Amino acid sequence: LPSTLWHAWTEGMGGGSDGPEQKTHPTWGGLEDPAALVFDCDGTLVDTMGGFYVADKKTCEEFDMTMSKQQFYDLAGVPIRRIFEILAQEQGKTPDLDAMAARCKELADEIMSQGPALIHPVVAIARDAKAKGLPIAVASSGVKPTVHGHLKQHGILDLFDAVVTCEDVSSGKPAPDLYLLAAEKLGVDPARCTAYEDAELGMQSAKAAGMTVVDVRLLDGYPTDDYKNTT
C-alpha cells in the first residue's frame, strides 16, 4: 500500500455525495465492502514500540539474557512471555518467565508513564470506519490492562466494538486466534475483514485468519522507520 494512497483517500473524503456510495478505498487494502476492520494496538494505533524495546531489553539484562533490536522486531506481535521463552531457549537460560513478564510491564509503565502517542493516520481510519457504521475491533498481543489503559488514556477505547488481548486466546500471534476471536465478537466472517498491522508476525496472524492485511508502516504519516534500522 503506497504511502501516497493516504493522501488520495483523505482528499476524497469530503466529496462524492451525489454519486454511488464508495464500496472500497485504498486504506481498506483493496477489499470491497468489508464487513469490519480489525486493528493491532502496539505500533499500529499507539506508538509504543520504542518504549517496549527499552523495557524488553532492560528486562533481559536484569535476568542475565540479551535481546537485540533485530530480535525485538522479528518477534514483534508475539506475547511478551512467549518472547522471553524463545530467547531463553536460544540462550540456554531457565528464568522465571512470569517474573520477567511482570518486570517488563513495570518498566514499560515507567518508561511510558506519560502515555504513548497515537498513530494518527491509523486512528483516522478507525474513526472514519466508525462514522461509516463499520464494526471495528482491536486484536492485540498485549496484556489487557496495558492495552485498555493506552486506548482509554487517549479517549479511543469506546471507539471499538470489541478489544481482544493475549489473555483471551490459547495461542498468540502468529497463530490466527486473536483475529478469529475479534471477528467472532463482531459477528462477521473474517474473510470479509481488513486487518491493520505493523509487525510481520502479526500480518501472518491476520492472513492465517483469512483477512486482507494493510501494513500501516507504509501509510503517510507513520511516525517511525526504526524497524528498518536493526543493525
Side-chain angles (χ1 to χ4, degrees), residues 61-218:
E61 291 170 352
E62 290 183 4
F63 284 80
D64 194 30
M65 289 168 49
T66 61
M67 171 187 273
S68 68
K69 187 176 285 189
Q70 182 71 59
Q71 288 171 317
F72 173 77
Y73 280 107
D74 284 348
L75 293 169
V78 176
I80 189 60
R81 189 183 186 281
R82 176 59 180 152
I83 289 174
F84 290 143
E85 183 179 23
I86 292 169
L87 294 176
Q89 290 171 348
E90 291 176 351
Q91 297 171 34
K93 306 288 185 178
T94 55
D96 182 332
L97 297 173
D98 291 329
M100 286 191 78
R103 176 58 176 154
C104 188
K105 183 182 184 306
E106 288 178 359
L107 289 169
D109 287 346
E110 290 173 10
I111 293 165
M112 294 182 279
S113 60
Q114 301 304 310
L118 288 178
I119 298 178
H120 293 288
V122 184
V123 174
I125 295 169
R127 291 189 189 281
D128 181 67
K130 190 73 170 183
K132 285 179 165 64
L134 276 175
I136 57 176
V138 172
S140 172
S141 292
V143 294
K144 197 174 298 292
T146 300
V147 172
H148 278 237
H150 287 164
L151 297 177
K152 187 175 182 179
Q153 188 172 31
H154 287 289
I156 63 170
L157 178 60
D158 292 339
L159 185 67
F160 297 95
D161 301 292
V163 177
V164 297
T165 57
C166 65
E167 300 95 329
D168 298 320
V169 296
S170 57
S171 299
K173 300 173 186 179
D177 302 35
L178 279 165
Y179 280 103
L180 291 173
L181 180 58
E184 179 183 329
K185 285 183 174 292
L186 295 177
V188 298
D189 180 354
R192 293 193 57 221
C193 295
T194 297
Y196 297 82
E197 270 282 356
D198 69 302
E200 298 297 333
L201 294 180
M203 293 179 211
Q204 289 180 29
S205 172
K207 288 176 182 176
M211 296 186 182
T212 297
V213 179
V214 171
D215 183 344
V216 300
R217 299 171 300 180
L218 302 180

Side-chain angles (χ1 to χ4, degrees), residues 21-40:
E21 183 178 350
Q22 189 177 25
K23 291 189 175 182
T24 188
H25 58 60
T27 56
W28 290 346
L31 183 64
E32 183 173 315
D33 224 2
L37 308 184
V38 185
F39 298 81
D40 172 52

